[in-house]
Amino acid sequence: MNEEEIKRKIEALKKEINYHNYCYYVLDSPEIPDAEYDRLFRELKKLEEENPHLITPDSPTQRVGAAPLEEFNRIRHLTRLFSLDDAFSEGEVLEFDQRIRKGLGKNVEFTYVAEPKIDGLAVNLLYENGIFVSGATRGDGEVGEDITQNLKTIRSLTLHMLDSDIPHPSRIEIRGEVYISKEDFIKLNDERIAAGEPIFANPRNAAAGSLRQLDPKITASRSLNIYLYGMGLCEGIEFLNHYDFLQTIKKWGFRVNPEIKICHKIEDVLEYFKYIENKRNELEYEIDGVVVKVNEFELQRLLGEKTRAPRWALAIKFKPEEALTIVEDITVQVGRTGILTPVAKLTPVNVGGVEISRATLHNLDEIRRKDIRIGDTVTVRRAGDVIPEVVSAIKSKRTGKEKIFEMPTACPVCGAHIIREGAYFRCTSISCPAQIKEGIKHFASRGAMDIEGLGDKLVDQLVEKEIVKDLADIYFLKADKLANLERMGKKSAENLIKAIERSKRCQLSRFIYALGIKLVGEYTAKLLADNFHSIENLKKKTEEELLEIDGIGPEVASSIVNFFKEEENLRVIEKMFSAGLVIEKTEAKKGRKFEGKSFVFTGALKSFTREEAKRIVEAEGGKASSSVSKKTDYVVAGEDAGSKLDKAKELGVTIISEDEFIEMINK
Ligand code: IVH
């Protein structure tokens, strides 16, 4: 290809990728499979790598990868970003309508546009001839921070407007709200808790914190999204009204909220407000009210602005979702995986129409960071359908009688040992009533003891009726007692008893896995069985001894030791043996599986990271290397395997799939 052809090819690829990006992220309905998208993307990337002078800032390859900044530059908006006046009651909304009518004169006809008020961060984007040039935070309304690189990481934001019947303006400022969905907000905070980092108080702070990162890679990892709702400067094309503007930018590939409606009179706006208020919990993002705007741009200009806010728009806010109350006590809840969560018992208070008497405190680190004490007056917040939480303590209200909370040293449900893992505290007993249902379900599952007929509903009944209080009780079940349970007949009860009997003879690895020791999956259980040959032997091992095994890391080792430290766990294991459980003698260890064999992994693996796969191979005596040669025994090809796969074919090396690799491990 000559330069001109390459240029045309790059342009065509950019356009195509841009369109599919729009289908995927804006319309939520991809037209082509992901693999095809990736192929286009790789083709573009390759051409750009070979011709770096042809890379343009609006290329889809330029979304991530920009270097971290020292600080944000400032950008002067071309037109001012206004704020909004708030209304909290129907009366205030009607007054707004009266003011508009008075301002415009009796005979002027107009419409309103009503929109959800998204609780995120306002941004101002500049496009020149359809291409994204820069983006900034609102700042003081006149000057904001240049967050162009971070905005580019938002996949649903078009870097190059799509073509439509309406030509792109030579310059336009488009405004919108960057937000994080409720689901991603919870996920992000969970990850932060696990990493021992402070959590974000609400989705708005999470969005703002993610967007104001000096390193765009962090922003890219935060699944931000954007809705566009406003226009600043616009040159080269004219719009008659706001609604038309929204419809047009939608055609240009921008994300516009589907809930936006035209209202013909103020009563319709009030109705819309009720409709949105009812729908609030269903929406995937947090909102704090509704914005109503006079639709016609000419009339907006006529009404004009005050210092802070325009006269032609109003924010109608939901009732405040925060309230003050007192922390009467802090109790601890044990989750079904054994994690202890501190919960504040509150003097009941009405928050946004719902009475709240409990609120989560997340974990001990959070309590310490916010310095919340028993007896404190606190702000509680209910954010849509997110669980109510304690936001902060009002320290000026302290009397000196407040008590500092300490985490219990024994499980509040069963009294077993508590261990600390990072920010988490966890109960170590397999009989803890908080965890027992999950424990039994896992014990009976296919990869574990494989007890057919011991399904989830039955487990729930057995535990609720206190027929099974620990795992060993399963081996004392009697058919006649089972037959009396809901949805159980004589026949199925007898079959279940037979299945339980059958499971009494089992392999050591399955038994270890069935115990549900945290971080011990099927593979680790097998490693333990192969190395220690009996429970008796395994339970005496120290962390140091466990760490000697290839494939066992410090966290796993500590989890195993803690499990066998708990007397209740030892008692239950004993009780199972006394009920007749027998571990089948495993054949003497047959030498390691992959002794002398060399593996190369290529493409994306579903079940392992590269590092894990490598450890598994090494633990079995094999070698994992990164390049294919004639000496390679197996190439494990994951998804989208590339040049290594071609090389393997060329050299005639055996190629296996990830599933075949897993079969080899489990053999
Ligand atoms: S219009 C002059 N529309 O609310 C018009 N704002 O309190 C100014 N917001 O800074 C904004 N959703 O961050 C408008 N559909 C929407 C909005 C919205 C959220 C935010 C925006 C603004 C703040 C004003």
Side-chain angles (χ1 to χ4, degrees):
M1 277 195 285
N2 65 31
E3 172 91 8
E4 214 26 64
E5 284 166 343
I6 293 173
K7 216 168 166 176
R8 267 207 300 275
K9 180 80 199 164
I10 287 184
E11 282 311 315
L13 279 169
K14 281 200 292 198
K15 208 163 175 176
E16 198 175 353
I17 292 170
N18 198 24
Y19 172 72
H20 290 301
N21 200 60
Y22 165 76
C23 293
Y24 190 98
Y25 290 102
V26 180
L27 301 184
D28 250 339
S29 84
E31 271 183 13
I32 54 170
D34 291 0
E36 177 60 13
Y37 178 90
D38 294 344
R39 196 192 60 73
L40 292 170
F41 199 91
R42 276 199 304 267
E43 191 177 348
L44 174 62
K45 195 134 195 197
K46 185 153 169 276
L47 279 177
E48 287 183 339
E49 268 161 20
E50 290 162 2
N51 304 279
H53 60 290
L54 296 180
I55 300 178
T56 58
D58 67 321
S59 168
T61 60
Q62 302 302 300
R63 284 195 184 266
V64 271
L69 299 172
E70 297 275 318
E71 58 175 4
F72 292 113
N73 286 325
R74 285 148 57 86
I75 286 193
R76 180 166 288 277
H77 308 305
L78 299 177
T79 53
R80 200 189 147 97
L81 271 78
F82 284 95
S83 181
L84 289 170
D85 282 338
D86 288 336
F88 287 94
S89 67
E90 214 173 287
E92 285 171 289
V93 179
L94 295 175
E95 280 167 26
F96 165 77
D97 181 59
Q98 287 305 320
R99 281 198 303 275
I100 302 270
R101 288 177 188 282
K102 202 163 153 215
L104 295 178
K106 270 205 181 84
N107 300 323
V108 179
E109 284 192 15
F110 66 95
T111 47
Y112 286 119
V113 174
E115 316 178 353
K117 185 170 185 303
I118 298 157
D119 206 6
L121 194 75
V123 294
N124 186 32
L125 315 170
L126 176 64
Y127 284 79
E128 289 180 0
N129 299 313
I131 294 174
F132 177 55
V133 174
S134 62
T137 59
R138 177 176 182 281
D140 62 3
E142 292 188 7
V143 177
E145 284 174 322
D146 180 349
I147 49 162
T148 308
Q149 294 306 335
N150 291 346
L151 286 165
K152 277 187 171 183
T153 69
I154 302 176
R155 302 281 165 165
S156 60
L157 178 65
T158 180
L159 302 181
H160 195 144
M161 294 181 188
L162 303 184
D163 292 329
S164 82
D165 50 341
I166 296 154
H168 300 153
S170 49
R171 275 207 301 182
I172 188 169
E173 284 183 300
I174 299 184
R175 282 147 192 190
E177 199 83 354
V178 171
Y179 68 90
I180 184 166
S181 72
K182 292 175 193 167
E183 192 185 334
D184 287 327
F185 167 68
I186 293 170
K187 253 195 239 159
L188 176 61
N189 266 351
D190 282 350
E191 283 166 20
R192 291 176 73 86
I193 288 173
E197 294 167 28
I199 59 169
F200 289 114
N202 52 52
R204 193 196 127 71
N205 288 5
S210 304
L211 208 47
R212 294 190 65 265
Q213 285 289 337
L214 291 167
D215 185 353
K217 289 206 184 53
I218 300 183
T219 311
S221 73
R222 294 279 170 86
S223 40
L224 296 175
N225 214 335
I226 187 166
Y227 273 127
L228 288 311
Y229 56 62
M231 186 177 87
L233 174 97
C234 178
E235 288 173 347
I237 156 170
E238 227 170 304
F239 293 102
L240 285 182
N241 62 53
H242 178 62
Y243 197 76
D244 271 359
F245 160 77
L246 294 176
Q247 297 314 310
T248 304
I249 63 170
K250 213 150 108 184
K251 290 189 198 155
W252 289 339
F254 290 94
R255 236 172 136 245
V256 174
N257 196 307
E259 297 292 350
I260 296 181
K261 298 258 154 52
I262 292 206
C263 296
H264 292 278
K265 43 188 196 317
I266 201 70
E267 287 73 21
D268 299 346
V269 173
L270 291 170
E271 197 157 309
Y272 177 83
F273 179 80
K274 284 191 197 118
Y275 159 78
I276 290 290
E277 197 171 32
N278 276 328
K279 208 166 175 184
R280 184 178 185 184
N281 287 352
E282 274 171 49
L283 298 175
E284 50 130 21
Y285 45 85
E286 202 60 65
I287 58 174
D288 59 349
V290 156
V291 183
V292 53
K293 302 170 183 173
V294 169
N295 190 18
E296 293 74 15
F297 282 143
E298 178 58 34
L299 303 183
Q300 287 188 1
R301 277 190 284 273
L302 255 166
L303 288 160
E305 286 88 21
K306 299 173 286 175
T307 37
R308 218 188 113 255
R311 291 198 185 83
W312 46 264
L314 183 72
I316 316 172
K317 299 287 233 3
F318 297 134
K319 290 202 191 67
E321 294 264 308
E322 287 188 351
L324 285 188
T325 187
I326 291 168
V327 175
E328 293 178 354
D329 197 4
I330 296 179
T331 57
V332 171
Q333 237 173 36
V334 186
R336 61 193 172 83
T337 56
I339 304 276
L340 274 58
T341 305
V343 176
K345 184 171 174 291
L346 306 167
T347 307
V349 61
N350 189 306
V351 189
V354 174
E355 188 170 275
I356 297 212
S357 54
R358 293 154 60 77
T360 178
L361 290 159
H362 300 289
N363 60 45
L364 188 63
D365 289 353
E366 279 299 300
I367 298 180
R368 294 288 185 257
R369 195 177 63 79
K370 295 177 181 166
D371 187 18
I372 289 163
R373 305 179 188 181
I374 300 167
D376 264 342
T377 301
V378 292
T379 313
V380 288
R381 167 196 287 262
R382 191 180 66 94
D385 54 359
V386 181
I387 314 159
E389 63 166 0
V390 176
V391 181
S392 57
I394 317 294
K395 299 196 177 123
S396 57
K397 297 221 172 194
R398 281 194 179 147
T399 61
K401 285 194 186 137
E402 294 75 18
K403 279 195 291 210
I404 291 189
F405 167 78
E406 296 296 345
M407 222 44 185
T409 49
C411 172
V413 175
C414 73
H417 288 123
I418 297 300
I419 53 158
R420 184 168 190 166
E421 291 166 350
Y424 292 111
F425 288 74
R426 199 165 51 72
C427 163
T428 53
S429 166
I430 40 172
S431 305
C432 180
Q435 305 175 60
I436 189 77
K437 281 186 185 170
E438 288 303 306
I440 301 171
K441 289 171 194 172
H442 172 74
F443 187 79
S445 68
R446 190 146 311 146
M449 305 302 272
D450 194 13
I451 306 177
E452 214 187 307
L454 192 49
D456 291 1
K457 292 260 155 58
L458 180 60
V459 171
D460 292 347
Q461 284 191 68
L462 290 172
V463 173
E464 279 153 25
K465 298 205 155 80
E466 296 190 6
I467 300 170
V468 172
K469 294 205 194 88
D470 62 40
L471 289 179
D473 283 340
I474 294 170
Y475 292 108
F476 293 89
L477 287 173
K478 296 279 175 294
D480 52 352
K481 201 156 186 189
L482 282 174
N484 290 332
L485 295 172
E486 268 166 51
R487 309 206 302 180
M488 269 301 247
K490 192 157 172 269
K491 187 89 197 122
S492 41
E494 277 165 10
N495 284 341
L496 177 59
I497 295 293
K498 275 189 208 142
I500 292 173
E501 277 306 309
R502 269 200 304 277
S503 80
K504 277 188 180 168
R505 295 187 69 81
C506 76
Q507 288 166 354
L508 180 59
S509 58
R510 278 175 171 263
F511 183 64
I512 296 174
Y513 173 63
L515 290 173
I517 306 169
K518 291 285 154 350
L519 304 178
V520 176
E522 281 176 88
Y523 180 72
T524 307
K526 188 140 184 11
L527 271 184
L528 295 171
D530 286 348
N531 282 278
F532 300 118
H533 316 296
S534 74
I535 287 285
E536 214 37 52
N537 194 19
L538 173 62
K539 74 182 185 197
K540 291 193 291 241
K541 294 295 161 200
T542 62
E543 281 182 40
E544 291 71 35
E545 287 169 309
L546 289 164
L547 280 170
E548 279 169 23
I549 300 173
D550 267 344
I552 292 194
E555 280 150 17
V556 180
S558 142
S559 170
I560 296 167
V561 169
N562 278 316
F563 179 88
F564 289 110
K565 236 192 232 164
E566 178 55 54
E567 290 205 3
E568 172 61 17
N569 298 348
L570 299 177
R571 185 190 69 80
V572 172
I573 293 172
E574 253 338 288
K575 187 167 156 190
M576 286 195 246
F577 286 130
S578 72
L581 185 96
V582 183
I583 305 282
E584 284 177 345
K585 277 267 162 288
T586 41
E587 302 149 52
K589 217 175 127 197
K590 287 194 241 95
R592 294 189 292 176
K593 254 180 225 145
F594 301 151
E595 205 72 65
K597 299 278 184 235
S598 75
F599 285 75
V600 172
F601 293 90
T602 174
L605 302 176
K606 289 175 297 202
S607 314
F608 318 89
T609 62
R610 283 279 167 89
E611 202 35 54
E612 274 171 314
K614 187 165 172 239
R615 266 196 273 123
I616 292 172
V617 167
E618 286 169 357
E620 294 292 349
K623 222 180 78 199
S625 70
S626 53
S627 58
V628 182
S629 74
K630 269 190 283 184
K631 291 198 191 120
T632 309
D633 292 292
Y634 298 101
V635 166
V636 184
E639 224 161 275
D640 289 329
S643 59
K644 288 182 200 169
L645 186 59
D646 300 337
K647 184 92 186 276
K649 284 182 191 152
E650 199 182 301
L651 296 175
V653 174
T654 309
I655 299 165
I656 59 171
S657 68
E658 183 178 351
D659 289 339
E660 286 169 312
F661 174 66
I662 295 174
E663 255 174 51
M664 281 169 81
I665 310 173
N666 290 333
K667 227 186 231 155

